[in-house]
Amino acid sequence: SEMCIRDRKKIVVLGAAESGCGAAVLAKKEGFDVFVSDMSKIKDTYKKMLDDHGIEWEEGQHTEERILAADEVIKSPGIPFTAPMMQKIAAKGIHVISEIEFAGRYTDSKMICITGSNGKTTTTSLIYHILTKAGIDAGLAGNIGNSLALQVAENPHPWYVIELSSFQLDNMYDFKADIAILLNITPDHLDRYDFKMQNYTDAKMRITQNQTKDDALIYWSGDPIITEELKKRSDIGGELCPFSENDFTLNQDECCLKGRHNIYNMMAAKIACEKAGIAEDVIIENIKNFRGVEHRLEKIGSVNGVEFINDSKATNVDACYFALESIKGKCVLILGGVDKGNDYNEITPLVKEKCSALVFLGVDNSKLHRSFDSLNLPIADTSSMADCVKACAQLAKPGETVLLSPCCASFDLFKNMEDRGEQFKENFKKLKENK
């Protein structure tokens, strides 16, 4: 037996959150020797999951000799390649994959995969909504839902709807999407791609890899970068299914999802569900009744005639652009956080037209001042959500909207964008109670 223990392949999982723990459980089930390591603290729920499956873990450190003894490393999407441990792994030539790539080895289920700089979560959630309403047994995974690897290990479904970030795609090689959706490619996360747009674009285009003529690639034909990439690449194997706004035949007033950007999300979802064999009337009925995603243009109520909207998911400039475009009348816009190499010139004309005031919410608002001071709008600087909501309440006039659509990541002041949105909602509630 000693011989076979030595021969068991060693898998090391870096990062012990949803994706990492799921990958560890699947690896253990498939007979690997598994070790999980996280530089940060591991949440109690995840510790329990690892303990229940008899998986060894460590937190607050990376034990180098154990990690570098791996045959393969499954890396959390949040860890950049520049991290010292990743550099050592690369120097040793150890293969690094994502949790999605690993899970894909152990399932033959149909995969509907969605990527793009904006609209991923809405489109993914909408497709999942339509599939389940149509009676299809589907799992929701990737950037949202539960770990794909965990579902493959313990609760398998014949279909998966998977939201993929560029970071997940970076470490995917043999995985294949049966139905791939590429919504758009606009500058985002450039800080992780040496500030080179082409590197980020290449990551997004990986969603097309390994597709054959039985597979479909659904994409927005109006995106200049996608159009250019498809011309350059001779290796695209899937059936090309472009869509443009002219193909949209629904009456948007009858749909819960509003705004021009949601037309693209609804169209992509409709084509994907047709490819999955769902009847058109079922698709349309469930597009109309889909209520949207939390923290994405989420109306949270009004106080003193001012409507408050939580768009905490707007972590890049384009998302904020769409949000501003969808607002009727004037608004007080909340901006700020960790800037990912943003170019605010894209929204300056809209800010000029739509905003009566700006509230900056961040540890360092200097770049925002450089970008917006020249507009001569009232500006409040805040560094906590409580102060931010107070400032908004003072600046906004009846009939106006307060819009949290920050353009930035949230890690300077919040745990994540959900935490930012929750705090916005809590402080709004307090404001309403004390008015």
Side-chain angles (χ1 to χ4, degrees):
S1 74
E2 198 151 291
M3 186 62 199
C4 81
I5 288 172
R6 234 196 9 250
D7 284 348
R8 273 210 340 231
K9 266 184 82 171
K10 285 192 171 63
I11 287 220
V12 168
V13 178
L14 294 185
E18 183 66 30
S19 74
C21 289
V25 169
L26 178 59
K28 177 84 185 203
K29 183 186 176 198
E30 295 296 338
F32 291 95
D33 174 350
V34 191
F35 178 59
V36 178
S37 176
D38 197 317
M39 265 319 248
S40 313
K41 276 243 172 287
I42 301 176
K43 279 190 187 160
D44 289 346
T45 49
Y46 292 129
K47 282 183 186 167
K48 185 178 180 333
M49 187 195 290
L50 295 171
D51 289 343
D52 288 350
H53 288 85
I55 296 166
E56 233 187 308
W57 53 265
E58 65 176 355
E59 61 180 354
Q61 62 179 33
H62 283 326
T63 304
E64 208 167 297
E65 58 275 21
R66 288 209 64 175
I67 293 169
L68 295 179
D71 294 303
E72 199 163 39
V73 167
I74 302 173
K75 176 184 86 68
S76 150
I79 302 170
F81 296 114
T82 49
M85 199 64 232
M86 294 312 302
Q87 296 288 306
K88 288 175 181 160
I89 288 167
K92 243 199 120 184
I94 301 168
H95 194 224
V96 177
I97 58 170
S98 72
E99 171 244 353
I100 305 285
E101 171 77 10
F102 184 67
R105 294 174 183 172
Y106 302 100
T107 174
D108 293 323
S109 299
K110 293 276 189 219
M111 304 287 185
I112 303 178
C113 301
I114 299 92
T115 198
S117 307
N118 300 96
K120 287 190 291 293
T121 306
T122 297
T123 306
T124 305
S125 305
L126 174 54
I127 292 170
Y128 176 71
H129 168 78
I130 298 167
L131 257 53
T132 46
K133 291 284 188 211
I136 288 176
D137 174 12
L140 183 65
N143 263 357
I144 52 174
N146 293 353
S147 148
L148 177 65
L150 189 65
Q151 294 181 65
V152 167
E154 304 197 325
N155 181 23
H157 304 277
W159 285 83
Y160 290 103
V161 190
I162 306 174
E163 177 187 324
L164 291 175
S165 70
S166 55
F167 302 157
Q168 284 161 320
L169 286 160
D170 279 331
N171 289 105
M172 288 165 65
Y173 305 98
D174 299 323
F175 182 93
K176 173 175 81 81
D178 298 275
I179 299 171
I181 298 176
L182 187 51
L183 291 163
N184 46 41
I185 301 179
T186 61
D188 190 10
H189 298 300
L190 294 187
D191 52 339
R192 276 275 291 263
Y193 292 100
D194 299 328
F195 294 94
K196 291 191 182 81
M197 187 62 193
Q198 188 60 50
N199 294 355
Y200 173 64
T201 301
D202 290 344
K204 287 289 185 201
M205 293 302 293
R206 291 174 78 93
I207 197 160
T208 66
Q209 64 190 0
N210 308 314
Q211 283 200 313
T212 68
K213 61 180 190 329
D214 302 327
D215 306 312
L217 171 61
I218 300 165
Y219 64 95
W220 174 39
S221 60
D223 187 297
I225 295 179
I226 297 175
T227 312
E228 206 39 51
E229 287 298 319
L230 289 176
K231 271 191 220 140
K232 280 197 292 204
R233 293 165 188 258
S234 55
D235 60 342
I236 306 278
E239 178 203 345
L240 297 182
C241 306
F243 62 85
S244 78
E245 46 272 58
N246 309 333
D247 307 332
F248 188 72
T249 51
L250 296 182
N251 175 359
Q252 207 178 0
D253 295 340
E254 294 175 12
C255 303
C256 296
L257 289 182
K258 305 292 183 216
R260 187 172 60 91
H261 59 294
N262 273 322
I263 288 178
Y264 304 114
N265 300 336
M266 291 188 270
M267 279 176 12
K270 182 171 183 284
I271 300 169
C273 292
E274 282 166 359
K275 292 276 166 208
I278 298 170
E280 189 178 32
D281 57 333
V282 176
I283 296 173
I284 289 170
E285 179 195 348
N286 290 301
I287 284 178
K288 286 181 179 172
N289 66 32
F290 178 68
R291 303 221 39 97
V293 175
E294 197 182 7
H295 311 298
R296 165 57 74 225
L297 286 174
E298 178 191 7
K299 294 182 175 182
I300 58 176
S302 50
V303 61
N304 302 329
V306 175
E307 178 156 41
F308 280 67
I309 293 182
N310 166 26
D311 195 39
S312 183
K313 257 185 95 48
T315 56
N316 58 32
V317 175
D318 264 56
C320 177
Y321 185 98
F322 296 137
L324 282 170
E325 211 181 33
S326 73
I327 297 287
K328 309 262 187 282
K330 288 278 185 188
C331 77
V332 174
L333 174 64
I334 303 163
L335 291 170
V338 180
D339 184 306
K340 296 183 281 189
N342 289 343
D343 176 1
Y344 295 108
N345 290 327
E346 293 173 38
I347 55 168
T348 309
L350 261 182
V351 168
K352 223 172 175 162
E353 177 197 333
K354 297 265 190 171
C355 297
S356 58
L358 298 173
V359 175
F360 296 160
L361 170 65
V363 170
D364 177 6
N365 297 327
S366 54
K367 183 172 170 183
L368 292 168
H369 281 290
R370 287 197 301 277
S371 304
F372 296 107
D373 282 359
S374 60
L375 298 181
N376 293 323
L377 291 168
I379 291 179
D381 267 287
T382 64
S383 57
S384 76
M385 190 54 87
D387 291 344
C388 167
V389 170
K390 272 194 198 104
C392 291
Q394 282 160 1
L395 289 163
K397 301 170 200 66
E400 293 187 344
T401 301
V402 168
L403 172 64
L404 169 68
S405 192
C407 289
C408 299
S410 54
F411 308 119
D412 57 341
L413 295 173
F414 306 97
K415 286 208 271 298
N416 47 37
M417 71 84 188
E418 290 88 353
D419 176 40
R420 176 168 63 189
E422 295 302 336
Q423 288 197 32
F424 183 57
K425 293 200 269 195
E426 278 159 30
N427 281 281
F428 167 77
K429 262 208 214 93
K430 283 182 196 148
L431 183 70
K432 211 168 158 74
E433 283 158 13
N434 299 329
K435 70 164 191 180

